[in-house]
Amino acid sequence: MFAFSEQAEKEIEKILNKYPEKHKQSALLPLLTLTQRQEGHVSPDAMREIARRLDVSPAYVQSVASFYTMYTLGDTPVGKYTILFCINISCQLNGCDELLDYTAKKLNIQVGETTADKKFTLRREECLAACTGGPMMRVNDTYHENITPARIDQILDSLK
Amino acid sequence: MTQILFKDINKKDLHTLAVYEETGGYKSLKKAFAKEPDEIIEMVKASGLRGRGGAGFPCGLKWSFLAKDVFPRYLCCNADESEPGTCKDRELLLKNPHLLIEGMILCSYACRIETGYIYLRGEFYDLCEIMEKALEEAYAKGYLGKNILGSGFDLDIHTHLGAGAYICGEESALLNSLEGMRGEPRMKPPFPAVQGLYAKPTVINNVETLCVVPYIVNEGAEKYAAIGTEKSKGTKLVSVSGHVKKPANYEVVLGTPVREIIYDMAGGMRDDNQLKAFIPGGSSVPMLRADQVDTPYDYESLQAAGSMLGSGALIVLDHTVNVVETSLRLVSFYMHESCGKCTPCREGTRWMWQILHQIQTGKGEAAHVEELLDICDNMSFKCFCPLGDAAVAPVASSIQNFRADYEELLQRMTANTV
Ligand SMILES: Cc1cc2nc3c(=O)[nH]c(=O)nc-3n(C[C@H](O)[C@H](O)[C@H](O)COP(=O)(O)O)c2cc1C
Ligand code: SF4
């Protein structure tokens, strides 16, 4: 069964206060985000719970959630660290493709997969707005710019 | 060097209220509250400030379009910043969040708005936390909330995070997303100024646009209008990326030649290579050739040269690049980000991707270039929102300017099969 944590409940109170009472549906993305961060995925069960709180149907929650790329729908959580690798133009001009290959080899997975120990999920991502610091990757909420193989080693090896 | 937005950008702890106030922060509020709201709108009109999010629409004029006497009204700050090549709003939000808050207060006062939202792209979680802290400080100091500085004016500002969708930067898709829907664009009209968030009159402005407003209120419209060219007023943050020695965000006086931005500000070409092409305004605008590098960086000149200023992202390509790969990368982006609502964009981006991919991987055919142009033609101005036109820009302009790059790949392929 899915349940929001105590901390999340406090957050939800704050979130609902941001929008006019009759437009609480505005809290849909924020609640999905809370769920994704708490669980590492958004399960059908969680979507039902969000639907209940916002007075919309579970199918509606799913139709919205599936539009956005930052939610992992289903029952399988992402790894403890999600590595988003920008592959768009500015990073490409500065060699991100080779670095992405390097990282996939290092973690011994394909792009899009999660390591067996559930530590890392590696994803290709579109422009993350750090173009002047390309190539770059985002590990959970942290931006790492001007990365090199040595920097990647250093960053990933330092994560426990 | 005229610096308005980046004047103190690297000052230590500028993101804190105390340091921001030391630099003169929030001084504009008293000045504004001493005037009638409409006077502020007139000032912004007179300054010539144009929207910095991409479309370049005159800011004061937009504010004056709000449906008369309909309340409540809303302000949505567009901090979705997802246009490939663009990372200027991120630097402003990261280092100077109070400047945005001050700008939003001025806009809200001028437009009689009592609720504002900052729509941040979902990946800006770190910036959202910084913004939240800054908002807290501003509330505590009485710059937000009820009866701000005794003016009788109330304002609340909230953050709202998206969840990964480029199209949510388009203003009507942003509103849908903020209302808890799929981020698909809305039919216009009605424009947001008439029916925006929750069907109420709404102002939507880019982060950078709002950050200029304190300067205009403090220093006067004339002073701002004296900077730049006749029609492109002021300064613009330009994200210079790609093959330059010093990629960074630079504050550029509008009208500065592109050559100066690339060779003086950004240190010139990487490895002193030759400049081949540049995309002056983010991935959605046509690329230009090296021989156009003396074009002044302003709205009119870039348009006359066949491109646009867009979001102000100058992407620089050197002679080692084959532009087919560049187009493929960008079309792949638009295919991924197409919201799927209308057919020409949903299918057209995929067709273009398939053809470009074939050319790039040595499976191209002689007729492919004409087919691409045909698809471009069938998409241009036929899509529901500007994303479709944006997807055409890299393809059409790369063929127009660098057809030889396509032919080189096609010939190499023929040579291999013989
Ligand atoms: C596909 C698409 C993406 C856009 N992305 C952004 C964006 O990330 N940030 C932004 O400020 N404007 C973006 N815009 C432009 C907005 O629709 C709108 O014009 C702008 O936010 C208005 O603010 P301004 O007048 O201050 O520029 C985008 C437009 C389109 C068509
Ligand atoms: S042009 Fe593309 S992004 Fe815009 S509405 Fe049509 S499908 Fe959606």
Side-chain angles (χ1 to χ4, degrees), chain A residues 11 17-20 23 25-30 33 37 60 62-64 66-71 84 87-90 92-94 96-97 125-133 138 141-143 145-146, chain B residues 74 81 84-87 90 117 121-126 132 158-160 163-165 167-168 177-183 198 240-243 247-248 270 315-317 325-326 329-330 333 336-337 339:
Chain A
E11 282 289 314
N17 272 329
K18 292 182 178 181
Y19 314 100
H23 296 290
Q25 191 186 317
S26 278
L28 182 45
L29 265 61
T33 301
R37 294 178 72 85
Y60 183 77
Q62 172 148 17
S63 96
V64 174
S66 63
F67 184 86
Y68 298 92
T69 56
M70 289 182 73
Y71 306 128
L84 300 181
I87 48 86
N88 211 300
I89 174 101
S90 305
Q92 183 220 358
L93 292 171
N94 285 299
C96 69
D97 292 351
E125 191 52 69
E126 294 296 352
C127 185
L128 286 161
C131 318
T132 55
R138 177 178 182 266
D141 298 330
T142 310
Y143 276 60
E145 303 188 9
N146 301 308
Chain B
Y74 294 101
E81 188 160 72
T86 319
C87 55
R90 184 173 161 80
Y117 293 98
R121 61 178 296 178
E123 293 87 350
F124 282 176
Y125 197 88
D126 55 337
E132 291 275 350
H158 308 287
T159 58
H160 183 98
I167 189 61
C168 291
S177 180
L178 185 44
E179 289 187 19
M181 300 191 247
R182 295 162 70 88
Y198 310 132
V240 188
S241 71
H243 292 155
R270 169 190 81 167
I315 306 165
V316 181
L317 317 184
E325 187 171 17
T326 311
R329 193 61 58 124
L330 293 179
F333 167 74
H336 184 255
E337 300 299 336
C339 82

Side-chain angles (χ1 to χ4, degrees), chain B residues 288-307:
Chain B
L288 297 174
R289 302 178 309 270
D291 63 77
Q292 294 171 294
V293 73
D294 288 310
T295 309
Y297 198 89
D298 60 59
Y299 294 96
E300 291 71 33
S301 307
L302 288 167
Q303 194 166 3
S307 189

Side-chain angles (χ1 to χ4, degrees), chain B residues 317-348:
Chain B
L317 317 184
D318 73 15
H319 74 272
T320 63
V321 175
N322 182 310
V323 295
V324 175
E325 187 171 17
T326 311
S327 304
L328 175 62
R329 193 61 58 124
L330 293 179
V331 164
S332 164
F333 167 74
Y334 289 108
M335 174 177 71
H336 184 255
E337 300 299 336
S338 168
C339 82
K341 182 178 177 118
C342 70
T343 314
C345 168
R346 183 186 63 238
E347 303 302 321

Side-chain angles (χ1 to χ4, degrees), chain B residues 65-68 70 72 189-203:
Chain B
F65 284 161
L66 283 170
K68 295 271 169 295
V70 185
F191 288 95
V194 177
Q195 280 187 29
L197 187 65
Y198 310 132
K200 296 295 180 194
T202 301
V203 173

Side-chain angles (χ1 to χ4, degrees), chain B residues 199-329:
Chain B
K200 296 295 180 194
T202 301
V203 173
I204 301 169
N205 273 129
N206 171 256
V207 172
E208 183 184 346
T209 315
L210 290 164
C211 284
V212 177
V213 181
Y215 179 89
I216 295 171
V217 171
N218 277 327
E219 306 289 329
E222 297 70 34
K223 196 157 165 198
Y224 190 77
I227 306 163
T229 71
E230 199 198 323
K231 286 192 174 151
S232 296
K233 301 297 188 191
T235 62
K236 175 82 188 80
L237 297 184
V238 181
S239 306
V240 188
S241 71
H243 292 155
V244 291
K245 287 199 179 114
K246 292 191 291 178
N249 290 312
Y250 295 98
E251 183 163 7
V252 171
V253 172
L254 287 167
T256 305
V258 173
R259 179 190 295 280
E260 228 175 280
I261 305 176
I262 296 179
Y263 290 94
D264 297 342
M265 295 177 142
M269 301 298 293
R270 169 190 81 167
D271 303 334
D272 293 321
N273 279 351
Q274 233 179 313
L275 174 69
K276 172 166 180 167
F278 58 98
I279 307 179
S283 64
S284 299
V285 311
M287 62 173 74
L288 297 174
R289 302 178 309 270
D291 63 77
Q292 294 171 294
V293 73
D294 288 310
T295 309
Y297 198 89
D298 60 59
Y299 294 96
E300 291 71 33
S301 307
L302 288 167
Q303 194 166 3
S307 189
M308 281 185 289
L309 187 139
S311 61
L314 177 59
I315 306 165
V316 181
L317 317 184
D318 73 15
H319 74 272
T320 63
V321 175
N322 182 310
V323 295
V324 175
E325 187 171 17
T326 311
S327 304
L328 175 62
R329 193 61 58 124

